[in-house]
Amino acid sequence: MAGEGENIMPKEKMNIVVFSGDMDKVLAAFIIATTAAAMGMDVNMFFTFWGLNVLRKKKFTSGKNILQKMMNALNRGGAARLSLSKFNMLGLGPAVMKTMMKRSKMPSLPEMVQTAKNLGVKFTACTTTFSFMGFSKDDFIDGVDAYAGAATFLGEVIDGRVSYFI
Amino acid sequence: MAGEGENIMPKEKMNIVVFSGDMDKVLAAFIIATTAAAMGMDVNMFFTFWGLNVLRKKKFTSGKNILQKMMNALNRGGAARLSLSKFNMLGLGPAVMKTMMKRSKMPSLPEMVQTAKNLGVKFTACTTTFSFMGFSKDDFIDGVDAYAGAATFLGEVIDGRVSYFI
Amino acid sequence: MAGEGENIMPKEKMNIVVFSGDMDKVLAAFIIATTAAAMGMDVNMFFTFWGLNVLRKKKFTSGKNILQKMMNALNRGGAARLSLSKFNMLGLGPAVMKTMMKRSKMPSLPEMVQTAKNLGVKFTACTTTFSFMGFSKDDFIDGVDAYAGAATFLGEVIDGRVSYFI
């Protein structure tokens, strides 16, 4: 701001809470995030609740007690196997959607996750949900930049330009 | 507004991503949009994924291939026949809701769409979803102001005051 | 910032539309709201549509006509008995989630509502939904600060820093 660099403007910041684990909503989140990053914005994505599934490895997460085991048997992770918020039809909907996207030359969700990383989008996994769902860091992909709670995230939000809850 | 312009303040801008096609969420989006426009804000609505259904004509959209035909047989358009996010009960819920709204002298959703247009709310249809769902411009109502992708929309968002993802 | 009142900065304002009545989404809304309030932000929560259920007393709300009675028989209030957006399984999901939260020493949703009040978070109940759903002020808990419509809420939003639609 001060100094000889009159062009040194702070980059506008976009902060997205990814609460949903629905394939269609997560797709929308990543289309927005990668487009904003490509336009030069600083993009933070905070994954919480079902959104954590995007960052989970495909492997089975067992959990530390019987309730966590029950929940995690249903609540499976992996960006490639999320369900749709509408017309899921036991997995037929997502399969149809993926094929439609491929025919339309759209990148798949796992490809978009990789593009987001390449463009410098920052991924934070919510430690609050993380711990009550019984996950451990081993359950997550390498691309996670930080494990933090809501206070850390809101510290970014407070000087951001655009915020979404998806 | 007129004059040498000590009063020429740029209007505050509200940008709403309408992702959902659920009647109740879309209603909330339009209540917010029309209220903000009536208060003098510049309002942009960007319709994507299921939200595109709000701008689709009631007539059947076939799609260009078998998968798009299958999806579009389920995913019907028209602001007057959206389903509820809760208590849909095969269409009973929306019918009950519409009657409750009418008795309470609330405008219907198609009426709110018209009011939004009259107040200058700008409608953009997302071309990305548009193409992979197999829609064409003929499938949409006249009120659509622009067909554009996320980058165009984020260009508006970046100097907006309020952003929502609904 | 400079000047004789060097510490008198207006507090940053966060405005959250709580549209959803799903336990998991409402939890996320309250985690964000209480964290922001604890960090010194001014937080307004505007409860509308299903979100009004958070502020409703547990007792049965009858409604003024047969349709409202039908809807309210299904659409029950009380922060302690909301359903999940996923894996609800006729109430098993929420019970499991509550137990998981308790084991992880997280406060329950009714406790978070109380914490939000203690931290000065302002609760507004949407009068538009309020009237077409057939609710009356007697149906709501004491913590409601205001009964108002979208215009009043947007008056706060317009000079806010962060806005969410949940």
Side-chain angles (χ1 to χ4, degrees):
Chain A
M1 240 147 239
E4 60 284 26
E6 48 276 37
N7 277 339
I8 309 186
M9 268 185 55
K11 287 167 88 176
E12 298 282 8
K13 210 187 282 187
M14 175 183 281
N15 299 290
I16 306 177
V17 179
V18 185
F19 169 91
S20 173
D22 293 327
M23 179 192 155
D24 42 350
K25 287 197 181 171
V26 173
L27 267 175
F30 273 90
I31 292 172
I32 292 172
T34 53
T35 307
M39 289 166 76
M41 293 183 84
D42 236 342
V43 184
N44 292 302
M45 298 179 90
F46 183 72
F47 296 85
T48 186
F49 282 82
W50 318 110
L52 282 177
N53 291 343
V54 180
L55 303 182
R56 282 168 69 196
K57 289 179 191 154
K58 260 184 177 178
K59 74 168 191 57
F60 182 69
T61 305
S62 81
K64 282 160 195 133
N65 58 47
I66 179 72
L67 291 177
Q68 291 172 347
K69 280 184 222 290
M70 273 171 60
M71 185 57 90
N72 292 335
L74 288 167
N75 182 36
R76 304 182 313 160
R81 57 178 193 185
L82 304 174
S83 55
L84 280 176
S85 70
K86 274 177 90 104
F87 310 128
N88 193 55
M89 299 177 289
L90 301 170
L92 179 62
V96 169
M97 182 74 92
K98 284 173 197 171
T99 309
M100 285 164 76
M101 286 168 62
K102 192 177 283 178
R103 291 196 179 172
S104 174
K105 316 274 184 238
M106 270 180 75
S108 69
L109 186 54
E111 285 165 349
M112 281 193 213
V113 171
Q114 193 49 55
T115 303
K117 288 315 306 172
N118 296 348
L119 288 166
V121 174
K122 193 177 160 192
F123 293 172
T124 303
C126 169
T127 44
T128 308
T129 336
F130 192 89
S131 73
F132 90 79
M133 298 290 260
F135 299 148
S136 70
K137 289 189 188 182
D138 286 346
D139 297 322
F140 288 83
I141 59 171
D142 290 336
V144 180
D145 298 284
Y147 293 87
T152 305
F153 181 67
L154 290 178
E156 302 277 357
V157 165
I158 222 161
D159 62 351
R161 181 76 198 161
V162 190
S163 286
Y164 289 118
F165 182 97
I166 295 182
Chain B
M1 243 146 237
E4 62 283 29
E6 48 279 37
N7 275 339
I8 308 188
M9 268 185 56
K11 287 166 88 175
E12 297 284 8
K13 209 186 282 187
M14 174 181 283
N15 299 290
I16 305 176
V17 179
V18 184
F19 169 92
S20 172
D22 294 328
M23 180 190 153
D24 42 349
K25 288 197 180 171
V26 173
L27 267 174
F30 273 90
I31 292 172
I32 292 172
T34 52
T35 308
M39 289 166 77
M41 292 183 85
D42 236 342
V43 184
N44 291 303
M45 299 178 90
F46 184 73
F47 296 85
T48 187
F49 282 82
W50 319 110
L52 283 177
N53 292 343
V54 180
L55 302 182
R56 283 167 68 196
K57 289 178 191 156
K58 261 184 176 175
K59 73 170 190 58
F60 182 68
T61 304
S62 80
K64 283 161 196 130
N65 58 47
I66 180 72
L67 292 177
Q68 291 173 348
K69 280 183 222 291
M70 273 171 61
M71 185 58 89
N72 292 336
L74 288 167
N75 182 37
R76 302 182 314 159
R81 57 179 192 184
L82 304 174
S83 55
L84 279 176
S85 71
K86 276 177 88 102
F87 309 129
N88 192 56
M89 301 176 287
L90 302 170
L92 179 61
V96 169
M97 183 74 90
K98 284 173 197 171
T99 309
M100 285 164 77
M101 287 168 62
K102 191 177 284 179
R103 290 197 180 172
S104 176
K105 315 274 184 238
M106 268 180 76
S108 69
L109 185 53
E111 285 164 349
M112 281 194 212
V113 172
Q114 192 50 55
T115 303
K117 289 315 307 173
N118 297 346
L119 288 166
V121 173
K122 193 177 160 191
F123 294 172
T124 303
C126 169
T127 43
T128 308
T129 336
F130 193 89
S131 73
F132 90 80
M133 299 290 259
F135 298 149
S136 69
K137 290 189 185 180
D138 284 346
D139 298 322
F140 289 83
I141 59 171
D142 289 336
V144 180
D145 297 285
Y147 293 87
T152 305
F153 181 67
L154 291 178
E156 302 277 357
V157 165
I158 222 161
D159 62 350
R161 183 75 198 162
V162 190
S163 287
Y164 289 119
F165 182 97
I166 295 182
Chain C
M1 240 148 241
E4 60 284 24
E6 47 275 36
N7 276 338
I8 308 186
M9 266 186 57
K11 288 167 87 176
E12 297 283 7
K13 208 187 284 187
M14 175 183 281
N15 298 291
I16 305 177
V17 179
V18 184
F19 169 91
S20 173
D22 293 327
M23 180 192 154
D24 42 350
K25 288 197 180 171
V26 173
L27 267 174
F30 274 90
I31 292 172
I32 291 172
T34 53
T35 307
M39 290 166 76
M41 291 182 85
D42 236 343
V43 184
N44 291 303
M45 298 178 90
F46 183 73
F47 297 85
T48 185
F49 282 82
W50 318 110
L52 282 177
N53 291 343
V54 180
L55 302 182
R56 283 167 68 195
K57 288 178 192 155
K58 261 183 176 176
K59 73 166 191 57
F60 182 69
T61 305
S62 81
K64 283 160 196 133
N65 57 47
I66 179 73
L67 292 177
Q68 291 172 347
K69 278 183 222 292
M70 273 171 60
M71 185 58 90
N72 293 334
L74 288 167
N75 182 36
R76 302 181 315 159
R81 58 177 192 184
L82 303 174
S83 55
L84 279 176
S85 70
K86 274 176 90 102
F87 310 130
N88 192 54
M89 301 176 288
L90 301 170
L92 179 61
V96 169
M97 182 75 90
K98 284 173 195 171
T99 311
M100 286 165 76
M101 286 168 62
K102 191 178 281 177
R103 290 197 180 173
S104 176
K105 315 274 184 240
M106 268 179 77
S108 69
L109 186 53
E111 284 164 350
M112 281 194 212
V113 172
Q114 193 50 57
T115 304
K117 290 313 310 172
N118 297 346
L119 289 166
V121 174
K122 192 176 160 193
F123 293 173
T124 304
C126 169
T127 43
T128 309
T129 336
F130 192 89
S131 73
F132 90 78
M133 299 290 258
F135 298 149
S136 69
K137 290 189 185 179
D138 285 347
D139 297 322
F140 289 83
I141 60 171
D142 289 336
V144 180
D145 298 284
Y147 293 87
T152 306
F153 180 67
L154 291 177
E156 302 278 357
V157 165
I158 221 160
D159 63 348
R161 183 76 198 161
V162 189
S163 287
Y164 288 119
F165 182 97
I166 295 181

